[in-house]
Amino acid sequence: MKNLSIALLILSSGCISYAQEVAPQDVPAVVVTAFQQKFPQQAVEEWELKKGLYEAEFEISNMDHTVYIDSTGKIVKHKQEIPVSELPAAVTASIQKSFNGYKTEEAKKVEAGSVVTYKVELEKGEEERKVTFAADGKIIENKAD
């Protein structure tokens, strides 16, 4: 029993260390400056440190945004919630063809460098799927949620 308790403690501490909240005053100035230059009118709701990247969460027009910035101030990824109606026609067509009968619950646009992908949450009854599409509608990832 003691060994099980120790194992659970080690596993749970590993999960906790995956994402670490960072106080605003502890975020490097170069990271804050990069954020402010890209999003001058926005305020960060929460800073986290994940896998060596600073993650800033904020909203624009009631839509969630997350930007990932490395320690040199380079923005490496930007995820933004978008209305389903703003999905590219090729993505919408791919959903209709490959996921007939599913309802699109949420859509996100992800920009990583020059690559743009779209992540959608699809639902059909009790079944939920998270699917990532290329801008041309090609399915990149399809997993049950």
Side-chain angles (χ1 to χ4, degrees), residues 15-85:
C15 293
I16 293 168
S17 66
Y18 172 73
Q20 181 180 11
E21 264 192 62
V22 180
Q25 66 271 18
D26 295 333
V27 177
V30 67
V31 173
V32 173
T33 300
F35 176 83
Q36 290 172 338
Q37 286 176 344
K38 180 76 174 173
F39 305 100
Q41 304 297 317
Q42 307 312 313
V44 176
E45 294 173 6
E46 181 177 61
W47 285 101
E48 289 186 355
L49 184 60
K50 286 185 180 177
K51 298 182 181 179
L53 296 175
Y54 289 89
E55 178 184 293
E57 296 178 2
F58 59 103
E59 284 187 5
I60 298 176
S61 302
N62 293 321
M63 294 297 218
D64 293 333
H65 288 250
T66 306
V67 66
Y68 300 84
I69 307 170
D70 70 15
S71 60
T72 68
K74 179 181 178 192
I75 295 176
V76 295
K77 184 167 36 170
H78 176 205
K79 289 194 308 189
Q80 61 182 346
E81 183 181 7
I82 62 170
V84 173
S85 61

